[in-house]
Amino acid sequence: MKFAIIGAGFYGLHLAVRFKALGLETKVFEKKDEILAFASGNNQFRLHLGFHYARNFRTRQQSRDGYFRFLERYEKLTSIVDENYYLVPKGDSLIDFPTYKLIMMSSGLDFVEKDCPNEIEFQCGTLVTQERVLLVEESRKYFYKQLQGMIYLGHEARVTHGDECVYVNNEKFDYCIDCTWGHLVPDDEFFFESTILLYYQKRDSSLKPKAFTFVDGPLCSLYPTENYDIVTLSSVPHTPIAKHSTSKEALNTIQNLSSNEIKEKKYLMEMQLMKYYPRFLDDYQYLRPQLSVKTKPFGNDDDRSCYVKKTGHLLKCLSGKIDNIFYAASEVLSLIEGHQK
């Protein structure tokens, strides 16, 4: 069988590696001139264990299981964040600390309960666990090596359906897997969200990088990147810019975001973090924004788990965290196997 994969993010590239291992003829089409160039290369680069999703069991479960599978397969594409704090601020969280801790214990997640770190001047219940940051440049090198001759950059895909096949740019394939998060084939159950993430650099090179994630609800997080001198700041209420029904609208929004709008977002995000970490701007200096587009399901249950849908010979992966690539691959192969019977 012959497969086309649209989108060279982590999902598309992992699927291509799996198909190659199975001896399946596969081509990966990417409209950008680089792999991991869109959502996979424009995010907070964190590999989740599930602590971030106290209010959604499915996302928490997929993250936990996927985290360990990711380490089995791609550990060298990650780096440990030793001081990784999950902080439940009293009065600001939607869940009190004992409840949050119970949810994590019942999910089989390992953690140590500790006092608040010195930087945090707010009453918080605190858990410490080891999570990881993704190494994007190492990942690019790895996938280019593994998928030599299979990746077609600068190729925007045009997909048409046949009776027992699918055509991508007029080339016939048995199946096509859309890993563009709905940018290629939209889905009524999902929307597009234009977003802003902020980069900061340590003022003192001896400052040890720490990850601070305030949970649960409309809070914020500070997380190291693969360059440990640089961190990213995100905020549940302020990172989103707007909701959009089409990816074109979302892309247009981030392309036309004004400097004043960025300054306003920056101010709001810094003020939110400094409620808990007052010395933040003494420790870090602002570098730049990162503008991107996320695909999210409608609803208020904090669902960021992965879904795979099939229409004829076209399958599409939707939503999900980086940990969910293994779930996606299993679902894709299962749906294809079932279709062949």
Side-chain angles (χ1 to χ4, degrees):
M1 288 192 290
K2 186 177 177 182
F3 293 83
I5 295 173
I6 315 299
F10 269 103
Y11 276 69
L13 296 170
H14 172 67
L15 276 169
V17 168
R18 291 287 292 119
F19 286 176
K20 178 185 176 183
L22 293 170
L24 302 171
E25 184 180 354
T26 306
K27 290 185 177 183
V28 181
F29 297 92
E30 170 56 54
K31 69 178 182 180
K32 300 283 188 180
D33 294 325
E34 178 67 281
I35 65 173
L36 304 174
F38 199 57
S40 289
N42 291 280
N43 56 59
Q44 215 170 18
F45 311 113
R46 60 194 300 168
L47 193 63
H48 287 272
L49 261 169
F51 289 89
H52 209 70
Y53 295 97
R55 286 175 288 122
N56 193 273
F57 173 77
R58 191 171 191 265
T59 306
R60 196 165 61 250
Q61 185 181 49
Q62 284 191 10
S63 294
R64 180 200 64 195
D65 296 346
Y67 179 91
F68 294 108
R69 294 186 69 182
F70 201 98
L71 293 191
E72 288 175 4
R73 183 68 61 85
Y74 300 125
E75 183 176 1
K76 291 183 179 179
L77 306 184
T78 71
S79 179
I80 292 174
V81 179
D82 287 314
E83 295 199 49
N84 185 58
Y85 296 88
Y86 280 87
L87 303 124
V88 182
K90 187 174 182 179
D92 287 354
S93 175
L94 297 177
I95 299 175
D96 61 71
F97 182 59
T99 301
Y100 178 80
K101 187 167 63 170
L102 181 62
I103 290 170
M104 298 309 143
M105 289 176 65
S106 66
S107 299
L109 295 175
D110 291 329
F111 58 82
V112 176
E113 184 177 349
K114 287 192 175 183
D115 293 333
C116 271
N118 294 331
E119 296 89 341
I120 307 303
E121 298 181 18
F122 195 91
Q123 187 176 353
C124 296
T126 306
L127 303 182
V128 179
T129 187
Q130 277 197 345
E131 289 186 320
R132 292 187 174 242
V133 61
L134 295 165
L135 306 178
V136 178
E137 288 306 318
E138 285 300 311
S139 298
R140 287 192 175 112
K141 293 175 186 176
Y142 173 83
F143 286 115
Y144 275 134
K145 182 178 180 180
Q146 293 295 315
L147 301 173
Q148 279 186 333
M150 297 170 61
I151 301 172
Y152 296 80
L153 298 174
H155 282 64
E156 186 161 3
R158 298 181 304 277
V159 179
T160 55
H161 294 270
D163 292 335
E164 295 297 329
C165 64
V166 64
Y167 294 89
V168 178
N169 298 345
N170 297 319
E171 184 176 355
K172 184 179 178 181
F173 293 88
D174 292 289
Y175 291 95
C176 174
I177 298 91
D178 174 12
C179 294
T180 66
W181 305 109
H183 289 263
L184 180 68
V185 181
D187 190 288
D188 291 340
E189 296 180 24
F190 292 78
F191 65 90
F192 298 96
E193 184 178 79
S194 49
T195 66
I196 181 170
L197 190 72
L198 304 178
Y199 281 76
Y200 293 81
Q201 186 169 15
K202 293 186 296 184
R203 295 185 186 275
D204 181 353
S205 60
S206 66
L207 183 69
K208 190 172 183 179
K210 297 178 183 179
F212 299 130
T213 304
F214 296 90
V215 288
D216 189 64
L219 301 170
C220 56
S221 66
L222 192 70
Y223 205 78
T225 65
E226 59 187 308
N227 179 343
Y228 267 25
D229 285 334
I230 297 174
V231 297
T232 55
L233 173 60
S234 70
S235 163
V236 172
H238 304 308
T239 285
I241 299 170
K243 290 183 178 181
H244 309 273
S245 57
T246 68
S247 63
K248 185 177 180 181
E249 292 173 1
L251 291 167
N252 185 62
T253 292
I254 63 174
Q255 289 166 0
N256 292 286
L257 198 66
S258 70
S259 59
N260 284 337
E261 289 173 307
I262 292 173
K263 286 179 182 178
E264 182 179 359
K265 285 285 189 181
K266 175 177 174 290
Y267 173 80
L268 292 171
M269 292 167 75
E270 288 175 350
M271 289 302 102
Q272 184 182 30
L273 177 62
M274 289 170 68
K275 177 179 180 179
Y276 311 113
Y277 182 178
R279 303 194 309 276
F280 171 63
L281 291 179
D282 295 326
D283 292 341
Y284 292 91
Q285 60 182 345
Y286 174 69
L287 289 179
R288 63 186 182 275
Q290 174 186 279
L291 303 175
S292 190
V293 176
K294 294 181 180 180
T295 308
K296 290 185 174 181
F298 288 104
N300 298 314
D301 60 355
D302 205 30
D303 186 5
R304 293 303 308 280
S305 56
C306 179
Y307 294 85
V308 179
K309 298 186 176 183
K310 179 178 170 299
T311 303
H313 290 250
L314 173 69
L315 296 88
K316 56 183 177 180
C317 300
L318 288 160
S319 194
K321 308 303 292 181
I322 186 66
D323 320 63
N324 305 156
I325 56 176
F326 302 94
Y327 172 84
S330 296
E331 281 293 291
V332 165
L333 290 169
S334 176
L335 287 168
I336 291 172
E337 181 182 4
H339 191 240
Q340 291 292 306
K341 292 180 179 179

